[in-house]
């Protein structure tokens, strides 16, 4: 599907209601399934990625009811999953495959995880290696580096593991496997990655402690079910925060957004570029920090550098940050972000190719890119590369570009934000 976006004729104004957080939605279902008793999840994200998780978890014998509003999950307790009758299809979702590989490693049965062609080309050795060290028998294409992954789990032992890449998916896979082992599991991370799994497990009564990048999990305790409401996704908010910053005379309020510090690097970077973002009504919901975000437009953004420790806290927002960088004055740099090469598509290549088509001078490097901001974009035909975040970043670029921007493969937004184009139509020129 192609979508044509014209420059916004006037400022974005009003309240923007966002879909729920994707990372937390995945975890709510996977963890509730392991609890002893019924959990209720309000504001669950119904998008392709998270619905793939629901299907996989149901295939393990877990009863999940969707009453149109909430999900009710009847947890089977630790060790209570049933051997699935067929292969489990994670579709496009890296979080589903990597977190499920941890859970399934603790189950003493045979299971197979697969996904679409994008997911089947993404690196899996990062989860397979630690899970094998814990005792899981895992095979896959290319010696277990690529899915499909065939897992024979059970009889695991705890490990003390230092993450070689800053990845919440790997950390979570090891912790989920660690729920079903003998002995303590320790995960060490040099750079902090999103900590939703740790927060949720702690809220369920697990013996889990995190300090200075060391997470210790003591197995044995049954997990308590919960009643939670998923906050709005800061990764989805980022598109409108950039749009409202760039389109003159905008003023928007985005209520109930998760602002966990391991996720909110985008706010700090945009503020350093001159964006006017205010967090209101800060509170804690279901163990996660939440706020209403108010954004007013800001002229004359300045270029910036994104590198080092902050990168994991904004890794998914780099495509839309690149649009802000292109609209800023002066040079911007992204470094230490080679993980972008192994996302749903190679996002360094995709961002650079798309921005070039929009008339921006960019230079691609191994682990990032340089953008020479000119304060303007020229509409053109760009490809989503089948990647939801590239599609949406280009939609936002279209709101500020001169002329018409055509986004090919626009349906990719259904992965995390099915209503994105309808929302954008409220603001775009016709
Ligand atoms: C996610 C972790 C990040 C992120 C992805 C979601 C998660 O990936 O990019 O969109 O829910 O744990 P990595 O773990 O590969 O960094």
């Amino acid at each position: 599907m192609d979508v044509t976006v014209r420059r916004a004729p006037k400022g974005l104004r009003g309240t923007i209601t966002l879909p729920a957080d994707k990372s937390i939605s995945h975890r709510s279902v996977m963890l509730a399934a392991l609890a002893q008793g019924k959990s209720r999840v309000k504001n669950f994200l119904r998008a392709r990625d998270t619905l793939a998780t629901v299907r996989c978890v149901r295939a393990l014998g877990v009863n999940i009811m969707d009453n149109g509003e909430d999900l009710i999950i009847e947890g089977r307790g630790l060790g209570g999953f049933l051997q699935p009758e067929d292969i489990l299809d994670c579709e496009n979702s890296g979080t589903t495959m990597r977190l499920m590989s941890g859970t399934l490693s603790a189950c003493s049965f045979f299971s197979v995880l697969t996904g679409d062609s994008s997911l089947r080309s993404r690196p899996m050795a990062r989860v397979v290696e630690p899970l094998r060290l814990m005792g899981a028998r895992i095979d896959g294409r290319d010696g277990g580096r690529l899915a499909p992954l065939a897992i024979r789990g059970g009889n695991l032992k705890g490990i003390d593991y230092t993450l070689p890449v800053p990845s919440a998916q790997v950390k979570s896979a090891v912790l989920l496997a660690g729920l079903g082992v003998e002995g303590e599991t320790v995960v060490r991370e040099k750079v902090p990655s999103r900590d939703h799994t740790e927060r949720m497990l702690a809220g369920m009564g697990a013996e889990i402690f995190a300090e200075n990048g060391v997470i210790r999990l003591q197995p044995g305790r049954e997990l308590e079910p919960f009643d939670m409401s998923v906050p709005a996704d800061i990764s989805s908010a980022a598109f409108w925060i950039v749009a409202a910053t760039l389109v003159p005379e905008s003023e928007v309020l985005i209520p109930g957004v998760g602002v966990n510090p391991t996720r909110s690097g985008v706010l700090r970077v945009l503020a350093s570029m001159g964006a006017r973002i205010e967090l209101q009504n800060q509170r804690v919901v279901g163990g996660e920090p939440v706020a209403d975000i108010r954004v007013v437009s800001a002229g004359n953004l300045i270029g910036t550098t994104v590198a080092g420790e902050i990168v994991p806290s904004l890794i998914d927002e780099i495509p839309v940050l690149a649009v802000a960088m292109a609209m800023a004055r002066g040079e911007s740099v992204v470094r230490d972000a080679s993980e972008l090469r192994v996302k749903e598509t190679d996002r360094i290549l995709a961002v650079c190719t798309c921005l070039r088509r929009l008339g921006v001078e960019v230079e691609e490097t191994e682990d990032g890119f340089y953008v020479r901001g000119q304060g303007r974009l020229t509409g053109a035909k760009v490809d989503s590369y089948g990647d939801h975040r590239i599609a949406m970043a280009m939609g936002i670029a279209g709101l500020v570009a001169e002329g018409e921007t055509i986004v090919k493969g626009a349906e990719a937004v259904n992965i995390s934000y099915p209503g994105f184009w309808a929302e954008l139509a409220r603001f775009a020129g016709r």
Side-chain angles (χ1 to χ4, degrees):
M1 175 178 94
D2 288 0
V3 167
T4 302
V5 185
R6 294 188 191 92
R7 189 185 220 169
K10 54 184 186 335
L12 281 61
R13 302 193 80 85
T15 300
I16 299 180
T17 308
L18 289 181
D21 189 281
K22 179 158 83 70
S23 291
I24 297 175
S25 292
H26 281 299
R27 285 159 172 82
S28 69
V29 168
M30 289 189 204
L31 289 175
L34 289 164
Q36 232 174 15
K38 243 185 222 178
S39 294
R40 178 183 293 267
V41 181
K42 299 190 190 78
N43 195 34
F44 179 79
L45 171 69
R46 288 173 185 81
R48 285 197 55 191
D49 266 17
T50 44
L51 292 174
T53 288
V54 169
R55 268 193 301 278
C56 289
V57 171
R58 278 189 174 137
L60 300 174
V62 180
N63 209 348
I64 303 179
M65 278 157 298
D66 184 344
N67 65 16
E69 238 168 71
D70 306 340
L71 288 194
I72 318 256
I73 302 130
E74 287 178 9
R76 297 188 64 97
L78 295 171
F81 290 159
L82 305 179
Q83 175 168 272
E85 284 174 17
D86 204 347
I87 58 171
L88 303 171
D89 187 356
C90 307
E91 298 192 17
N92 191 243
S93 174
T95 305
T96 308
M97 182 168 284
R98 296 201 178 110
L99 269 60
M100 289 297 291
S101 69
T103 294
L104 293 169
S105 290
C107 299
S108 21
F109 53 62
F110 174 77
S111 55
V112 180
L113 293 165
T114 192
D116 68 9
S117 60
S118 156
L119 187 54
R120 279 183 278 110
S121 69
R122 295 179 64 186
M124 292 299 146
R126 52 183 61 196
V127 283
V128 168
E129 277 166 17
L131 295 172
R132 280 181 179 158
L133 287 174
M134 296 176 88
R137 284 174 291 161
I138 307 183
D139 207 348
R141 285 186 304 136
D142 201 9
R145 280 189 281 278
L146 297 173
L149 299 178
I151 303 176
R152 208 170 266 288
N155 288 325
L156 304 190
K157 54 183 190 311
I159 49 169
D160 186 327
Y161 193 68
T162 302
L163 295 180
V165 279
S167 163
Q169 292 175 353
V170 179
K171 173 173 65 175
S172 302
V174 174
L175 291 173
L176 288 171
L179 289 170
V181 305
E182 265 184 33
E184 189 184 48
T185 294
V186 182
V187 183
R188 298 171 195 272
E189 51 181 1
K190 293 172 213 148
V191 183
S193 64
R194 63 193 69 193
D195 62 359
H196 307 303
T197 304
E198 297 92 301
R199 285 174 186 259
M200 213 178 277
L201 281 174
M204 297 172 80
E207 259 185 87
I208 183 165
F209 304 98
E211 203 176 25
N212 301 328
V214 183
I215 303 123
R216 293 178 189 279
L217 172 69
Q218 200 71 49
R221 275 203 205 157
E222 281 294 343
L223 299 175
E224 294 155 22
F226 53 79
D227 196 327
M228 74 173 293
S229 179
V230 182
D233 197 327
I234 190 162
S235 297
S236 301
F239 297 106
W240 304 116
I241 297 173
V242 169
T245 296
L246 297 178
V247 177
E249 289 170 37
S250 295
E251 177 170 355
V252 298
L253 183 72
I254 315 175
V257 184
V259 288
N260 182 321
T262 62
R263 291 285 300 282
S264 50
V266 63
L267 302 180
R268 299 192 282 283
V269 168
L270 285 170
S272 78
M273 296 174 79
R276 294 165 63 199
I277 303 166
E278 202 188 307
L279 299 192
Q280 299 176 337
N281 192 14
Q282 297 195 45
R283 58 225 188 244
V284 175
V285 178
E288 292 280 345
V290 169
D292 304 334
I293 300 182
R294 184 172 167 272
V295 190
V296 293
S297 24
N300 300 328
L301 291 190
I302 48 169
T304 191
T305 296
V306 173
E309 283 223 355
I310 199 168
V311 171
S313 72
L314 49 69
I315 190 78
D316 292 339
E317 290 67 72
I318 289 178
V320 76
L321 272 175
V323 174
M325 289 168 171
M327 289 297 290
R329 304 272 165 191
E331 189 172 272
S332 288
V333 190
V334 175
R335 271 200 306 270
D336 306 321
S338 52
E339 275 296 302
L340 290 175
R341 296 227 179 254
V342 291
K343 293 293 178 191
E344 287 82 330
T345 188
D346 176 343
R347 287 185 179 158
I348 294 180
L349 181 66
V351 161
C352 291
T353 310
C354 289
L355 286 184
R356 249 181 233 125
R357 291 193 69 88
L358 298 173
V360 185
E361 217 184 298
V362 285
E363 192 186 314
E364 186 178 330
T365 63
E366 206 36 59
D367 64 349
F369 48 85
Y370 290 85
V371 180
R372 280 174 202 90
Q374 302 284 334
R376 66 192 292 258
L377 294 170
T378 313
K381 194 163 190 169
V382 288
D383 195 343
S384 73
Y385 295 82
D387 183 315
H388 53 137
R389 302 211 194 277
I390 300 295
M392 292 188 275
M394 289 307 110
I396 300 305
L399 284 182
V400 289
E402 282 154 34
E404 243 176 42
T405 302
I406 299 165
V407 183
K408 284 199 296 176
E411 67 283 357
V413 305
N414 293 331
I415 291 296
S416 62
Y417 194 159
F420 178 81
W421 295 116
E423 193 73 17
L424 187 121
R426 275 174 58 194
F427 306 121
R430 294 192 186 269

